[in-house]
Amino acid sequence: MPDLFDSYPYRDRFPVLQDLPAEGRPHDDVLAELDAMAHEEDTVWASGQCSGTIYHGDPEHYAFLGEAFTRFSHANALQRDMCPSATRFEGEILAMALDIFHADSVSDGKPAGLVTSGGTDSILHAMLCYREQALARGVARPTIVKPETAHPAFAKAAHLFGMGLRVLPVDPATTLVDPAAVAAAIDEDTAVVVASAGNYPYGSIDPIPEVAAVAAERGVGVHVDGCLGGFVLGFLDGAAHGIPPFDFRVPGVTSVSADTHKYGYGLKGTSTVLFRDIALRNRAYFFVPDWSGGKYFSPGMAGSRSVGLLAATWAAMVTLGRQGYAARAAAIHETATAMQEAVRGIPGLRLLGNSPFVVAFTSDDVDIYHVNDALRARGWRLNGLQYPDALHLAVTGPQLQDGVVARFAADLAAAVEYAAARRGTPAVSSALYGGVPGGFTPAAGMFITSVMTQMMDAQHSVPTT
Ligand SMILES: *Cc1c(COP(=O)(O)O)cnc(C)c1O
């Protein structure tokens, strides 16, 4: 069992602060300490054995983004009179994102967007806009309809904004939502229908034209969650790769979220949420015109924001350009395809979903979490899935290095052998990542949330010596 509660390995190496130091430390000293931690933590993903999370992977790119960030890190995007640069960065980030997702094909609205702090934040803003729209038409409890595979941020939005949540099962064979089920789930309370391009577990792309058609017929908008896949899918030839249209070219798609801090290759802390029509976007605006502190207004949920993140995101997009993104998308697709081939070549494993950038697999023969244990011992860090128990690797920049696919194929084959020798014994990593044996029950849910609470407490507490 890994020690879930040892979230603080630096205790023995660096002084542990439990209060504010009386005297400040020299810059060099502080930077040396930061370097030590950063270099060590970067080795975790540098070899290309870590799923997702680090999307570009080239240290020079990150150094460049750091330079861009530095120029504006201290400026506040709320005070546009002091930093009209923020208006330029944000406007151009949105123009570029709207271009990628074919807002130019929209004839029934005026496309617009928001730059937010991340995928969850983009989804929250979109759901808030749909809630306001539904409330305005008199719906008492606006509801989100989403496939089970759509991101938990939609459940978070329902939780935070007092919305209903209707979860639709997906077809286990394809991992996709059934448009007929979407049609049946829509009622007078439905504020929005969600579809993914692609979803997190399998990277698969819901049948968005069909979903949008049944939703539009019932007068309901569709949010496409392209947080993960948008900046890959937007640069692949859909027709050639069997990827259905998923963006504003599809009538009835009323908003799209796409993360600049994932495959957009920006710094962590930015995402875009795009709307077919500005009237829906503007439902996120907030005003307090009669406050003693002056007239307050903000475009979304945040107050102050760093212009540095906008500058770095803009810098990432303009240095990559269409060619840079397309080259990376093609390389990612090629690598993912090679890894999927490797999975197909190993008896006992079964691929899940169909994605140009995620490799997801389960086993009907061995405990996939034994496979995960063996992969972890070999330095791999895949993500664990449940219902069914499975693993996935989202292919990113670090996997594009020579030798990674071959290492994946060899280590995976060895890991399946390891698992075959351990049938009937519990796997170590299933405790943390796997589904509950015998199915999910309320009691299991309570136990799991209590363990998760302890983990979060351990990760968000003042340090002990
Ligand atoms: C990562 C992800 C999100 C949420 O993004 P955060 O940036 O982690 O808040 C939403 N949808 C999908 C499909 C994702 O993979």
Side-chain angles (χ1 to χ4, degrees):
M1 190 73 187
D3 185 356
L4 304 184
F5 306 111
D6 184 15
S7 310
Y8 194 58
Y10 296 118
R11 186 170 284 117
D12 303 329
R13 297 175 38 199
F14 302 118
V16 176
L17 288 181
Q18 290 176 306
D19 49 22
L20 182 66
E23 280 178 42
R25 291 169 57 185
H27 288 179
D28 287 351
D29 191 31
V30 173
L31 287 174
E33 210 169 293
L34 297 181
D35 277 342
M37 290 185 284
H39 289 152
E40 249 172 67
E41 293 179 7
D42 280 345
T43 61
V44 176
W45 56 264
S47 65
Q49 294 185 215
C50 183
S51 171
T53 188
I54 305 293
Y55 287 83
H56 191 287
D58 181 350
E60 273 180 33
H61 176 74
Y62 294 134
F64 167 69
L65 298 189
E67 283 286 315
F69 176 77
T70 303
R71 304 287 190 277
F72 295 93
S73 58
H74 44 283
N76 186 353
L78 264 192
Q79 268 101 42
R80 293 297 166 97
D81 56 328
M82 292 173 67
C83 56
S85 57
T87 302
R88 178 175 178 214
F89 297 139
E90 204 162 49
E92 293 185 3
I93 291 165
L94 291 170
M96 292 186 275
L98 287 164
D99 176 36
I100 295 165
F101 301 112
H102 296 98
D104 59 342
S105 65
V106 170
S107 56
D108 57 345
K110 182 173 183 290
L114 293 168
V115 178
T116 70
S117 69
T120 299
D121 202 25
S122 282
I123 289 167
L124 293 179
H125 278 90
M127 296 303 107
L128 180 63
C129 291
Y130 288 107
R131 183 193 72 172
E132 293 304 291
Q133 186 184 51
L135 290 175
R137 51 161 222 273
V139 175
R141 186 171 162 81
T143 293
I144 301 167
V145 172
K146 77 151 196 145
E148 194 281 328
T149 46
H151 196 271
F154 295 99
K156 191 181 269 184
H159 167 70
L160 291 173
F161 302 146
M163 300 174 78
L165 182 67
R166 187 97 186 256
V167 179
L168 304 177
V170 298
D171 179 342
T174 62
T175 72
L176 303 179
V177 75
D178 175 6
V182 172
I186 294 173
D187 62 22
E188 60 275 15
D189 293 337
T190 308
V192 57
V193 167
V194 173
S196 305
N199 58 46
Y200 169 85
Y202 314 112
S204 44
I205 301 138
D206 284 315
I208 286 159
E210 292 79 4
V211 167
V214 299
E217 220 169 85
R218 288 156 185 80
V220 173
V222 172
H223 178 82
V224 171
D225 181 16
C227 280
L228 180 61
F231 280 88
V232 176
L233 299 175
F235 297 100
L236 292 174
D237 177 355
H241 294 98
I243 302 162
F246 65 93
D247 60 17
F248 290 114
R249 280 173 297 183
V250 179
V253 167
T254 43
S255 54
V256 174
S257 50
D259 287 355
T260 39
H261 73 185
K262 285 183 176 168
Y263 291 106
Y265 307 122
L267 291 179
K268 286 282 182 278
T270 65
S271 170
T272 60
V273 57
L274 311 169
F275 297 85
R276 191 174 201 89
D277 187 56
I278 192 168
L280 184 58
R281 192 277 305 264
N282 286 5
R283 291 189 185 275
Y285 283 6
F286 183 75
F287 309 90
V288 181
D290 57 350
W291 180 41
S292 57
K295 291 176 182 43
Y296 183 93
F297 50 95
S298 63
M301 287 187 277
S304 300
R305 290 185 298 147
S306 172
V307 181
L309 282 175
L310 298 174
T313 300
W314 179 88
M317 294 178 85
V318 300
T319 48
L320 276 140
R322 190 166 282 280
Q323 273 184 348
Y325 281 112
R328 284 210 149 231
I332 282 166
H333 176 238
E334 194 183 311
T335 300
T337 305
M339 287 182 158
Q340 287 160 352
E341 273 311 307
V343 172
R344 262 194 215 98
I346 297 170
L349 296 183
R350 178 163 59 88
L351 280 171
L352 292 172
N354 178 17
S355 173
F357 58 93
V358 169
V359 184
F361 53 95
T362 184
S363 176
D364 304 317
D365 184 34
V366 296
D367 182 340
I368 202 71
Y369 281 99
H370 277 314
V371 175
N372 195 38
D373 289 349
L375 287 174
R376 286 178 88 85
R378 288 161 186 258
W380 292 89
R381 187 183 178 283
L382 273 59
N383 299 113
L385 313 176
Q386 48 184 351
Y387 314 113
D389 281 353
L391 302 175
H392 91 188
L393 187 149
V395 176
T396 59
Q399 278 83 50
L400 306 181
Q401 301 169 90
D402 285 343
V404 174
V405 173
R407 214 178 322 138
F408 177 72
D411 286 347
L412 185 57
V416 172
E417 272 179 39
Y418 167 96
R422 278 162 187 80
R423 281 196 186 84
T425 67
V428 174
S429 57
S430 65
L432 190 51
Y433 304 106
V436 181
F440 191 85
T441 60
M446 276 175 63
F447 174 72
I448 292 165
T449 51
S450 91
V451 173
M452 298 294 147
T453 300
Q454 291 175 64
M455 271 183 70
M456 289 194 284
D457 282 354
Q459 291 167 358
H460 302 88
S461 58
V462 297
T464 52
T465 44

